[in-house]
Amino acid sequence: MAKYKEIADYLEREILDGKFDKTKKLPTEDELIKHFEVSRNTIRKAINQLVNRGYIYQVQGSGMFLRERSVTDYINLGSLRGLTKDLPSKIIETKILALHVLKADEVKAKQLRCEVGTDLYYIKRLRIVDKEPFSIEVSYFRKDIVPYLNEDIATSSIYTYIIEDLKLSIGFADKVINCDKIDEESAGVLHVNPLDPALIIENTVSLTNGTIFEVSKSIFHYQKAKILNRINFK
Amino acid sequence: MAKYKEIADYLEREILDGKFDKTKKLPTEDELIKHFEVSRNTIRKAINQLVNRGYIYQVQGSGMFLRERSVTDYINLGSLRGLTKDLPSKIIETKILALHVLKADEVKAKQLRCEVGTDLYYIKRLRIVDKEPFSIEVSYFRKDIVPYLNEDIATSSIYTYIIEDLKLSIGFADKVINCDKIDEESAGVLHVNPLDPALIIENTVSLTNGTIFEVSKSIFHYQKAKILNRINFK
DNA sequence: AAGTGGTCTAGACCACCGT
DNA sequence: CGGTGGTCTAGACCACTTC
């Protein structure tokens, strides 16, 4: 891994461990340069990661400060980490409702920018948080890119498998968020009343080379799910 | 303005004007370096802005490519641009439902990290898109930071005023998204039925020095509003 | 092998904050 | 004024894609 990423991950760990909580201030760039023995650019790239991840903000002439930590448990839009890391204080369970291979119809082919008839993994999962139904996730993966999936993988973390075992590198994603009245079937699964609200995220994920390999749709329990997005301007 | 930002804005304009639509590919770094007569780092910083704004992606060894343009009109989470720029094909109108100064109570003081009793501008606005009610926005601004506001400013763009006239620089924001059954009053204003869903964004905005100067809550028409978030991993 | 983006270094000068 | 972050340059070498 690149130096700047290692430094960023190291500092992220320290931030999460509360190392800078007393002062709410990070060491200066010069101090970090000396500590890690790298050039200023490398330190600044590492810091940039932390800024983009929403941990800190920089004030010219003054220093680098911790952003307020969000106390409640939120779904983090900008990470690949998954529910387990987003909701660390909760018990997360996953139940596979369906997992099989099917052929892309016209709609899916268009969404995935692939040919009609391409093999896709179809996966439907129920996510359970603290023993209560939390969300329903329906995903389609291109089988030519993700050649094998099973219940074990889908129960733990598909993304960990894709990144660490298949060595694929994920580049970017489009997320569309909206809300609507829930459909009857989902209402039953999530234990809400028909026509209650549902928070919906539609997700299109690409590899670094631009190939779309997954589209998914998640339906969240409207009282249990909150999404947090931390934004930087500059 | 910094060189890299000027270059980024210039290239953004070219992208939006469709200059690279045929090839879906940007010039190489070397070409940009020669064209703008700057160092490689400066070009790379400019390009990084475009990546973060969701316009392009980079492929090592290959080049820089346009991301698919989203056809439909979405609210862009990661920008300060406001509805007018997010929904360029629509007619946007704003109706001021309330605008006055009040004192921060305990709840607002805590949200804004200020003293109880601090003067705040309270603004309630109805946003109308293509002649139909779209969202209700309730905002609180710290009056010691935004000392003056009126109906004209609140009708056009508060952020343009804050940035260009007050010369304040906005640093970062926390956005919490959820959905819920709409309250009765808002249902009437947005022309939906009571207990219909509502998409809600709560927003906490800070200056570059970390001071929170605004908190707001927007309630969107559940059938009309879709939020788009473009994410990069790396 | 040539082309193109990714990482890293070393050094200079500027802009802003706080004392 | 000293400390700290922001911008910019010039150059080197690496990693991946494409042919």
Short mmCIF file of all heavy atoms in Angstrom, two decimals, chain C:
data_model
loop_
_atom_site.label_atom_id
_atom_site.label_comp_id
_atom_site.label_asym_id
_atom_site.label_seq_id
_atom_site.Cartn_x
_atom_site.Cartn_y
_atom_site.Cartn_z
P DA C 1 11.79 -3.58 -24.79
OP1 DA C 1 13.09 -4.04 -25.29
OP2 DA C 1 11.58 -3.26 -23.36
"O5'" DA C 1 11.37 -2.30 -25.64
"C5'" DA C 1 10.85 -2.50 -26.97
"C4'" DA C 1 9.84 -1.41 -27.25
"O4'" DA C 1 8.54 -1.81 -26.71
"C3'" DA C 1 10.18 -0.08 -26.57
"O3'" DA C 1 9.87 0.96 -27.49
"C2'" DA C 1 9.26 -0.05 -25.34
"C1'" DA C 1 8.04 -0.82 -25.83
N9 DA C 1 7.30 -1.53 -24.78
C8 DA C 1 7.80 -2.26 -23.74
N7 DA C 1 6.89 -2.80 -22.98
C5 DA C 1 5.70 -2.39 -23.55
C6 DA C 1 4.35 -2.62 -23.23
N6 DA C 1 3.97 -3.37 -22.19
N1 DA C 1 3.41 -2.07 -24.02
C2 DA C 1 3.79 -1.33 -25.06
N3 DA C 1 5.02 -1.05 -25.48
C4 DA C 1 5.93 -1.61 -24.66
P DA C 2 10.16 2.48 -27.13
OP1 DA C 2 10.79 3.13 -28.29
OP2 DA C 2 10.80 2.53 -25.79
"O5'" DA C 2 8.66 3.01 -27.00
"C5'" DA C 2 7.73 2.73 -28.06
"C4'" DA C 2 6.40 3.37 -27.69
"O4'" DA C 2 5.76 2.57 -26.66
"C3'" DA C 2 6.52 4.78 -27.13
"O3'" DA C 2 5.41 5.52 -27.61
"C2'" DA C 2 6.48 4.56 -25.63
"C1'" DA C 2 5.49 3.40 -25.53
N9 DA C 2 5.59 2.55 -24.35
C8 DA C 2 6.73 2.19 -23.67
N7 DA C 2 6.50 1.39 -22.65
C5 DA C 2 5.13 1.22 -22.68
C6 DA C 2 4.24 0.48 -21.85
N6 DA C 2 4.63 -0.25 -20.82
N1 DA C 2 2.92 0.53 -22.15
C2 DA C 2 2.53 1.26 -23.20
N3 DA C 2 3.25 1.99 -24.05
C4 DA C 2 4.56 1.92 -23.72
P DG C 3 5.17 7.05 -27.12
OP1 DG C 3 4.75 7.79 -28.31
OP2 DG C 3 6.33 7.49 -26.32
"O5'" DG C 3 3.91 6.89 -26.17
"C5'" DG C 3 2.73 6.27 -26.67
"C4'" DG C 3 1.69 6.25 -25.59
"O4'" DG C 3 2.07 5.29 -24.58
"C3'" DG C 3 1.51 7.58 -24.85
"O3'" DG C 3 0.11 7.79 -24.69
"C2'" DG C 3 2.22 7.38 -23.53
"C1'" DG C 3 1.97 5.89 -23.30
N9 DG C 3 2.91 5.21 -22.42
C8 DG C 3 4.29 5.31 -22.42
N7 DG C 3 4.85 4.56 -21.51
C5 DG C 3 3.78 3.93 -20.87
C6 DG C 3 3.77 3.01 -19.80
O6 DG C 3 4.73 2.53 -19.17
N1 DG C 3 2.47 2.64 -19.45
C2 DG C 3 1.34 3.09 -20.07
N2 DG C 3 0.18 2.62 -19.62
N3 DG C 3 1.33 3.96 -21.07
C4 DG C 3 2.59 4.33 -21.42
P DT C 4 -0.45 9.19 -24.14
OP1 DT C 4 -1.70 9.48 -24.85
OP2 DT C 4 0.66 10.17 -24.08
"O5'" DT C 4 -0.82 8.82 -22.63
"C5'" DT C 4 -1.82 7.85 -22.37
"C4'" DT C 4 -1.90 7.63 -20.88
"O4'" DT C 4 -0.77 6.85 -20.47
"C3'" DT C 4 -1.84 8.93 -20.08
"O3'" DT C 4 -2.99 9.05 -19.27
"C2'" DT C 4 -0.59 8.82 -19.25
"C1'" DT C 4 -0.37 7.32 -19.21
N1 DT C 4 1.05 6.93 -18.97
C2 DT C 4 1.28 5.94 -18.06
O2 DT C 4 0.38 5.36 -17.48
N3 DT C 4 2.59 5.66 -17.86
C4 DT C 4 3.69 6.25 -18.46
O4 DT C 4 4.83 5.90 -18.19
C5 DT C 4 3.37 7.27 -19.41
C7 DT C 4 4.48 7.98 -20.12
C6 DT C 4 2.09 7.56 -19.62
P DG C 5 -3.19 10.39 -18.38
OP1 DG C 5 -4.54 10.87 -18.69
OP2 DG C 5 -2.04 11.28 -18.51
"O5'" DG C 5 -3.19 9.77 -16.92
"C5'" DG C 5 -4.12 8.75 -16.61
"C4'" DG C 5 -3.69 7.95 -15.41
"O4'" DG C 5 -2.35 7.46 -15.61
"C3'" DG C 5 -3.65 8.71 -14.09
"O3'" DG C 5 -4.14 7.83 -13.08
"C2'" DG C 5 -2.18 9.03 -13.92
"C1'" DG C 5 -1.55 7.77 -14.49
N9 DG C 5 -0.19 7.97 -14.94
C8 DG C 5 0.26 8.82 -15.91
N7 DG C 5 1.56 8.79 -16.08
C5 DG C 5 1.99 7.85 -15.15
C6 DG C 5 3.29 7.39 -14.85
O6 DG C 5 4.36 7.72 -15.38
N1 DG C 5 3.29 6.44 -13.83
C2 DG C 5 2.16 6.00 -13.18
N2 DG C 5 2.34 5.09 -12.22
N3 DG C 5 0.94 6.42 -13.45
C4 DG C 5 0.93 7.35 -14.44
P DG C 6 -4.06 8.19 -11.52
OP1 DG C 6 -5.20 7.55 -10.85
OP2 DG C 6 -3.83 9.65 -11.42
"O5'" DG C 6 -2.73 7.43 -11.04
"C5'" DG C 6 -2.79 6.09 -10.61
"C4'" DG C 6 -1.74 5.84 -9.53
"O4'" DG C 6 -0.43 6.03 -10.08
"C3'" DG C 6 -1.84 6.82 -8.36
"O3'" DG C 6 -1.64 6.09 -7.14
"C2'" DG C 6 -0.75 7.82 -8.61
"C1'" DG C 6 0.30 6.96 -9.31
N9 DG C 6 1.16 7.73 -10.21
C8 DG C 6 0.76 8.63 -11.17
N7 DG C 6 1.75 9.17 -11.82
C5 DG C 6 2.88 8.58 -11.27
C6 DG C 6 4.26 8.77 -11.57
O6 DG C 6 4.75 9.52 -12.42
N1 DG C 6 5.07 7.98 -10.77
C2 DG C 6 4.62 7.12 -9.81
N2 DG C 6 5.55 6.44 -9.13
N3 DG C 6 3.34 6.93 -9.51
C4 DG C 6 2.52 7.69 -10.28
P DT C 7 -1.50 6.88 -5.75
OP1 DT C 7 -1.97 5.95 -4.71
OP2 DT C 7 -2.06 8.25 -5.84
"O5'" DT C 7 0.07 7.00 -5.60
"C5'" DT C 7 0.83 5.82 -5.43
"C4'" DT C 7 2.27 6.17 -5.14
"O4'" DT C 7 2.82 6.93 -6.24
"C3'" DT C 7 2.47 7.04 -3.89
"O3'" DT C 7 3.38 6.34 -3.05
"C2'" DT C 7 3.04 8.35 -4.42
"C1'" DT C 7 3.68 7.92 -5.73
N1 DT C 7 3.80 8.95 -6.78
C2 DT C 7 5.05 9.26 -7.27
O2 DT C 7 6.07 8.72 -6.86
N3 DT C 7 5.07 10.20 -8.25
C4 DT C 7 3.99 10.87 -8.80
O4 DT C 7 4.13 11.71 -9.69
C5 DT C 7 2.70 10.50 -8.24
C7 DT C 7 1.46 11.16 -8.76
C6 DT C 7 2.68 9.57 -7.27
P DC C 8 3.66 6.86 -1.57
OP1 DC C 8 4.12 5.70 -0.80
OP2 DC C 8 2.50 7.65 -1.13
"O5'" DC C 8 4.89 7.85 -1.75
"C5'" DC C 8 6.14 7.34 -2.19
"C4'" DC C 8 7.10 8.49 -2.46
"O4'" DC C 8 6.68 9.16 -3.65
"C3'" DC C 8 7.14 9.57 -1.39
"O3'" DC C 8 8.29 9.33 -0.57
"C2'" DC C 8 7.25 10.87 -2.19
"C1'" DC C 8 7.35 10.40 -3.64
N1 DC C 8 6.69 11.30 -4.64
C2 DC C 8 7.48 11.99 -5.55
O2 DC C 8 8.71 11.83 -5.50
N3 DC C 8 6.89 12.81 -6.44
C4 DC C 8 5.55 12.96 -6.45
N4 DC C 8 5.04 13.78 -7.36
C5 DC C 8 4.73 12.25 -5.53
C6 DC C 8 5.32 11.44 -4.64
P DT C 9 8.69 10.37 0.60
OP1 DT C 9 9.41 9.57 1.60
OP2 DT C 9 7.53 11.20 0.99
"O5'" DT C 9 9.73 11.32 -0.13
"C5'" DT C 9 10.65 10.76 -1.07
"C4'" DT C 9 11.50 11.86 -1.66
"O4'" DT C 9 10.80 12.45 -2.80
"C3'" DT C 9 11.79 13.02 -0.70
"O3'" DT C 9 13.19 13.23 -0.59
"C2'" DT C 9 11.10 14.22 -1.31
"C1'" DT C 9 10.96 13.83 -2.77
N1 DT C 9 9.77 14.44 -3.40
C2 DT C 9 9.93 15.27 -4.48
O2 DT C 9 11.01 15.54 -4.96
N3 DT C 9 8.77 15.78 -4.98
C4 DT C 9 7.49 15.55 -4.52
O4 DT C 9 6.52 16.07 -5.05
C5 DT C 9 7.39 14.67 -3.38
C7 DT C 9 6.05 14.36 -2.78
C6 DT C 9 8.52 14.16 -2.87
P DA C 10 13.80 14.09 0.59
OP1 DA C 10 15.12 13.50 0.88
OP2 DA C 10 12.81 14.29 1.66
"O5'" DA C 10 14.02 15.50 -0.12
"C5'" DA C 10 14.65 15.59 -1.39
"C4'" DA C 10 14.77 17.06 -1.77
"O4'" DA C 10 13.58 17.44 -2.51
"C3'" DA C 10 14.86 17.98 -0.56
"O3'" DA C 10 15.87 18.95 -0.78
"C2'" DA C 10 13.47 18.58 -0.46
"C1'" DA C 10 13.01 18.59 -1.91
N9 DA C 10 11.56 18.52 -2.08
C8 DA C 10 10.66 17.84 -1.30
N7 DA C 10 9.41 17.97 -1.70
C5 DA C 10 9.50 18.79 -2.82
C6 DA C 10 8.54 19.30 -3.72
N6 DA C 10 7.24 19.04 -3.60
N1 DA C 10 8.97 20.07 -4.74
C2 DA C 10 10.28 20.32 -4.85
N3 DA C 10 11.28 19.89 -4.07
C4 DA C 10 10.82 19.12 -3.07
P DG C 11 16.19 20.07 0.38
OP1 DG C 11 17.65 20.23 0.41
OP2 DG C 11 15.42 19.78 1.61
"O5'" DG C 11 15.58 21.38 -0.29
"C5'" DG C 11 15.70 21.57 -1.69
"C4'" DG C 11 14.77 22.70 -2.12
"O4'" DG C 11 13.43 22.18 -2.31
"C3'" DG C 11 14.65 23.82 -1.09
"O3'" DG C 11 14.89 25.07 -1.72
"C2'" DG C 11 13.23 23.69 -0.58
"C1'" DG C 11 12.53 23.15 -1.82
N9 DG C 11 11.23 22.57 -1.55
C8 DG C 11 10.89 21.69 -0.54
N7 DG C 11 9.61 21.39 -0.53
C5 DG C 11 9.09 22.11 -1.60
C6 DG C 11 7.75 22.19 -2.09
O6 DG C 11 6.75 21.62 -1.66
N1 DG C 11 7.66 23.03 -3.20
C2 DG C 11 8.71 23.71 -3.75
N2 DG C 11 8.44 24.48 -4.80
N3 DG C 11 9.95 23.65 -3.30
C4 DG C 11 10.06 22.83 -2.24
P DA C 12 15.16 26.43 -0.86
OP1 DA C 12 16.47 26.94 -1.26
OP2 DA C 12 14.84 26.18 0.57
"O5'" DA C 12 14.05 27.39 -1.45
"C5'" DA C 12 13.86 27.44 -2.86
"C4'" DA C 12 12.52 28.11 -3.14
"O4'" DA C 12 11.46 27.16 -2.88
"C3'" DA C 12 12.27 29.31 -2.24
"O3'" DA C 12 12.18 30.49 -3.04
"C2'" DA C 12 10.96 28.99 -1.52
"C1'" DA C 12 10.37 27.85 -2.34
N9 DA C 12 9.59 26.92 -1.53
C8 DA C 12 10.02 26.17 -0.46
N7 DA C 12 9.08 25.42 0.07
C5 DA C 12 7.96 25.69 -0.69
C6 DA C 12 6.64 25.21 -0.64
N6 DA C 12 6.22 24.33 0.26
N1 DA C 12 5.77 25.69 -1.56
C2 DA C 12 6.21 26.57 -2.46
N3 DA C 12 7.42 27.09 -2.61
C4 DA C 12 8.26 26.60 -1.69
P DC C 13 12.25 31.92 -2.28
OP1 DC C 13 12.91 32.84 -3.22
OP2 DC C 13 12.72 31.77 -0.89
"O5'" DC C 13 10.70 32.31 -2.23
"C5'" DC C 13 9.91 32.18 -3.40
"C4'" DC C 13 8.45 32.21 -3.00
"O4'" DC C 13 8.09 30.98 -2.35
"C3'" DC C 13 8.10 33.34 -2.01
"O3'" DC C 13 7.03 34.08 -2.55
"C2'" DC C 13 7.72 32.59 -0.75
"C1'" DC C 13 7.17 31.29 -1.34
N1 DC C 13 7.05 30.17 -0.36
C2 DC C 13 5.86 29.46 -0.30
O2 DC C 13 4.94 29.76 -1.06
N3 DC C 13 5.73 28.46 0.61
C4 DC C 13 6.75 28.17 1.42
N4 DC C 13 6.58 27.19 2.29
C5 DC C 13 7.99 28.89 1.37
C6 DC C 13 8.09 29.87 0.46
P DC C 14 6.48 35.40 -1.87
OP1 DC C 14 6.57 36.44 -2.90
OP2 DC C 14 7.09 35.59 -0.53
"O5'" DC C 14 4.94 35.04 -1.65
"C5'" DC C 14 4.28 34.19 -2.58
"C4'" DC C 14 2.94 33.76 -2.02
"O4'" DC C 14 3.12 32.63 -1.13
"C3'" DC C 14 2.24 34.84 -1.19
"O3'" DC C 14 0.86 34.84 -1.54
"C2'" DC C 14 2.45 34.39 0.25
"C1'" DC C 14 2.49 32.88 0.10
N1 DC C 14 3.27 32.16 1.14
C2 DC C 14 2.63 31.18 1.90
O2 DC C 14 1.44 30.96 1.71
N3 DC C 14 3.35 30.51 2.83
C4 DC C 14 4.65 30.77 2.99
N4 DC C 14 5.32 30.08 3.92
C5 DC C 14 5.32 31.76 2.22
C6 DC C 14 4.60 32.42 1.31
P DA C 15 -0.13 35.90 -0.87
OP1 DA C 15 -1.18 36.18 -1.88
OP2 DA C 15 0.63 37.00 -0.23
"O5'" DA C 15 -0.81 35.05 0.28
"C5'" DA C 15 -1.65 33.95 -0.06
"C4'" DA C 15 -2.47 33.58 1.16
"O4'" DA C 15 -1.63 32.91 2.10
"C3'" DA C 15 -3.08 34.76 1.90
"O3'" DA C 15 -4.33 34.33 2.38
"C2'" DA C 15 -2.08 35.01 3.03
"C1'" DA C 15 -1.61 33.61 3.34
N9 DA C 15 -0.26 33.47 3.85
C8 DA C 15 0.86 34.16 3.49
N7 DA C 15 1.95 33.78 4.11
C5 DA C 15 1.51 32.76 4.94
C6 DA C 15 2.17 31.94 5.87
N6 DA C 15 3.48 32.01 6.11
N1 DA C 15 1.45 31.03 6.54
C2 DA C 15 0.14 30.94 6.28
N3 DA C 15 -0.60 31.66 5.43
C4 DA C 15 0.16 32.55 4.79
P DC C 16 -5.35 35.33 3.05
OP1 DC C 16 -6.64 35.06 2.37
OP2 DC C 16 -4.76 36.69 3.12
"O5'" DC C 16 -5.46 34.76 4.53
"C5'" DC C 16 -5.78 33.39 4.73
"C4'" DC C 16 -5.36 33.02 6.13
"O4'" DC C 16 -3.93 33.09 6.23
"C3'" DC C 16 -5.91 33.94 7.22
"O3'" DC C 16 -6.72 33.14 8.06
"C2'" DC C 16 -4.66 34.50 7.91
"C1'" DC C 16 -3.60 33.47 7.54
N1 DC C 16 -2.18 33.92 7.53
C2 DC C 16 -1.26 33.31 8.38
O2 DC C 16 -1.64 32.41 9.14
N3 DC C 16 0.03 33.71 8.35
C4 DC C 16 0.42 34.68 7.51
N4 DC C 16 1.71 35.02 7.52
C5 DC C 16 -0.50 35.32 6.63
C6 DC C 16 -1.78 34.92 6.67
P DC C 17 -7.52 33.78 9.26
OP1 DC C 17 -8.82 33.08 9.30
OP2 DC C 17 -7.45 35.25 9.17
"O5'" DC C 17 -6.68 33.32 10.53
"C5'" DC C 17 -6.44 31.95 10.74
"C4'" DC C 17 -5.65 31.77 12.03
"O4'" DC C 17 -4.28 32.17 11.78
"C3'" DC C 17 -6.16 32.61 13.19
"O3'" DC C 17 -6.39 31.73 14.29
"C2'" DC C 17 -5.06 33.63 13.46
"C1'" DC C 17 -3.82 33.01 12.81
N1 DC C 17 -2.88 33.98 12.16
C2 DC C 17 -1.51 33.91 12.45
O2 DC C 17 -1.11 33.08 13.27
N3 DC C 17 -0.67 34.77 11.83
C4 DC C 17 -1.13 35.65 10.95
N4 DC C 17 -0.26 36.47 10.36
C5 DC C 17 -2.52 35.73 10.63
C6 DC C 17 -3.36 34.88 11.25
P DG C 18 -7.04 32.33 15.63
OP1 DG C 18 -7.79 31.25 16.28
OP2 DG C 18 -7.68 33.63 15.31
"O5'" DG C 18 -5.76 32.64 16.51
"C5'" DG C 18 -4.93 31.57 16.95
"C4'" DG C 18 -3.71 32.15 17.63
"O4'" DG C 18 -2.99 32.92 16.64
"C3'" DG C 18 -4.05 33.09 18.78
"O3'" DG C 18 -3.41 32.63 19.97
"C2'" DG C 18 -3.54 34.45 18.32
"C1'" DG C 18 -2.51 34.11 17.25
N9 DG C 18 -2.42 35.11 16.19
C8 DG C 18 -3.45 35.70 15.49
N7 DG C 18 -3.05 36.56 14.60
C5 DG C 18 -1.67 36.55 14.72
C6 DG C 18 -0.69 37.29 14.02
O6 DG C 18 -0.85 38.12 13.12
N1 DG C 18 0.60 36.98 14.46
C2 DG C 18 0.90 36.06 15.44
N2 DG C 18 2.18 35.89 15.73
N3 DG C 18 -0.01 35.36 16.11
C4 DG C 18 -1.26 35.66 15.70
P DT C 19 -3.49 33.59 21.29
OP1 DT C 19 -3.67 32.71 22.45
OP2 DT C 19 -4.44 34.70 21.03
"O5'" DT C 19 -2.02 34.20 21.35
"C5'" DT C 19 -0.90 33.36 21.13
"C4'" DT C 19 0.37 34.18 21.31
"O4'" DT C 19 0.54 35.03 20.14
"C3'" DT C 19 0.35 35.11 22.52
"O3'" DT C 19 1.62 35.10 23.16
"C2'" DT C 19 0.03 36.47 21.93
"C1'" DT C 19 0.63 36.38 20.53
N1 DT C 19 -0.06 37.18 19.46
C2 DT C 19 0.70 37.89 18.56
O2 DT C 19 1.91 37.91 18.58
N3 DT C 19 -0.04 38.58 17.62
C4 DT C 19 -1.42 38.63 17.50
O4 DT C 19 -1.95 39.27 16.62
C5 DT C 19 -2.14 37.85 18.48
C7 DT C 19 -3.64 37.83 18.45
C6 DT C 19 -1.45 37.18 19.41
#
